[in-house]
Amino acid sequence: MIYGQTDVGNVRTLNEDSFYFETTPQGYVMIVADGMGGHNGGEVASKMAVDSIREYMNQNDIFSDPEVTLRQAIKCANDAVFHAATKQAELEGMGTTLVMAVGNEKTICVANVGDSRAYLVSKNKLLQITKDHSFVNELVKKGVLTKEEAKKHPKSNIILKALGLEADVYPDIFLLEKKKTDKVLLCTDGLTGMVSDEEILEVMAQFNKKNACAELVRLAKEHGGTDNVTVVIG
Ligand code: CA
């Protein structure tokens, strides 16, 4: 089973995150997107990205060759958001992060653009699958900032790649083997900016998937909840 939860947080008035999940006989799909842009552009962008991937899935078999089909699905979503942003003045400059996972009991294929993350959770280990396309993560990679310093950095919300901002988008793709008992966690930075990896692992070890979603959202809000928070666990 897959569970998901989103919350506007303690400070913002709009929830610009979107998520979707689905289980089919061939496997499962999980998607999380975190929109950005003035007016309600962020909301529109993240929803449009998720909807266009769902539409792609209705017309194509996303499970046959996920490394290829994920790229195509994300390209369709990028086209949709990019064109909508160029047509309507109030949506100009809108974009969204996107992280999605397609998998079965043995393997998982993950694609991401931006700083929404995918984690693989084994019994006592939390493996961050994706690498944030963010300004602060570049500084972490160079050894200038630690991961904890990055979270509190004033430029922690600057992302270097997003869906819908340009005519083309190049997601990172990860293909992993997975044990039956492993869990997959997708989330927006409203979670990871507020809740440490140690706390996430603790919650994942202690709660079932459904309750872990609620507990992670609760913790993000308890620790400030300055951003929208979305969690999907499968
Ligand atoms: Ca966010």
Side-chain angles (χ1 to χ4, degrees):
M1 290 290 273
I2 303 173
Y3 294 92
Q5 196 166 325
T6 190
D7 196 287
V8 69
N10 301 334
V11 177
R12 303 212 175 170
T13 52
L14 280 180
N15 190 345
E16 299 183 319
D17 290 355
S18 294
F19 73 96
Y20 177 74
F21 55 83
E22 184 184 311
T23 311
T24 77
Q26 298 111 293
Y28 57 84
V29 176
M30 301 159 59
I31 311 171
V32 164
D34 177 352
M36 71 205 78
H39 302 280
N40 62 342
E43 240 184 320
V44 173
S46 69
K47 190 177 181 304
M48 192 177 282
V50 170
D51 288 347
S52 34
I53 288 171
R54 290 178 64 181
E55 204 182 309
Y56 178 90
M57 283 162 47
N58 287 336
Q59 290 159 6
N60 301 273
D61 176 11
I62 203 157
F63 298 100
S64 61
D65 188 358
E67 272 186 277
V68 174
T69 50
L70 254 67
R71 274 184 215 281
Q72 285 168 352
I74 289 172
K75 189 187 180 322
C76 288
N78 189 73
D79 286 350
V81 176
F82 183 67
H83 284 119
T86 51
K87 272 188 197 136
Q88 281 171 264
E90 72 272 20
L91 298 178
E92 194 187 341
M94 72 172 174
T96 184
T97 72
L98 187 96
V99 59
M100 70 180 288
V102 171
N104 52 39
E105 283 184 352
K106 288 182 186 159
T107 60
I108 174 172
C109 190
V110 172
N112 84 298
V113 180
D115 66 352
S116 298
R117 290 182 184 169
Y119 289 94
L120 189 69
V121 191
S122 294
K123 232 179 185 177
N124 296 309
K125 264 191 294 180
L126 187 74
L127 168 75
Q128 187 182 326
I129 300 170
T130 52
K131 298 177 186 84
D132 296 351
H133 301 133
S134 68
F135 174 75
V136 288
N137 195 39
E138 289 304 306
L139 297 180
V140 171
K141 282 197 264 178
K142 285 179 190 151
V144 177
L145 294 178
T146 66
K147 274 181 83 179
E148 285 311 307
E149 284 167 346
K151 285 185 186 193
K152 289 165 198 134
H153 196 276
K155 290 183 178 169
S156 65
N157 61 343
I158 295 180
I159 58 172
L160 304 178
K161 225 186 232 190
L163 191 148
L165 294 184
E166 288 171 37
D168 287 312
V169 71
Y170 302 97
D172 288 342
I173 306 270
F174 305 88
L175 195 59
L176 292 93
E177 288 188 5
K178 159 183 182 301
K179 292 196 202 85
K180 206 176 168 185
T181 49
D182 290 346
K183 295 171 196 165
V184 180
L185 165 73
L186 304 187
C187 61
T188 56
D189 65 335
L191 178 74
T192 49
M194 295 284 146
V195 182
S196 69
D197 281 8
E198 291 72 23
E199 287 171 303
I200 293 173
L201 182 59
E202 214 170 284
V203 170
M204 295 298 291
Q206 212 176 328
F207 294 86
N208 65 28
K209 290 178 192 174
K210 188 180 177 191
N211 292 342
C213 286
E215 180 60 14
L216 288 173
V217 168
R218 192 193 67 77
L219 273 179
K221 291 174 78 177
E222 189 181 87
H223 295 181
T226 54
D227 197 358
N228 309 141
V229 52
T230 302
V231 183
V232 175
I233 302 173

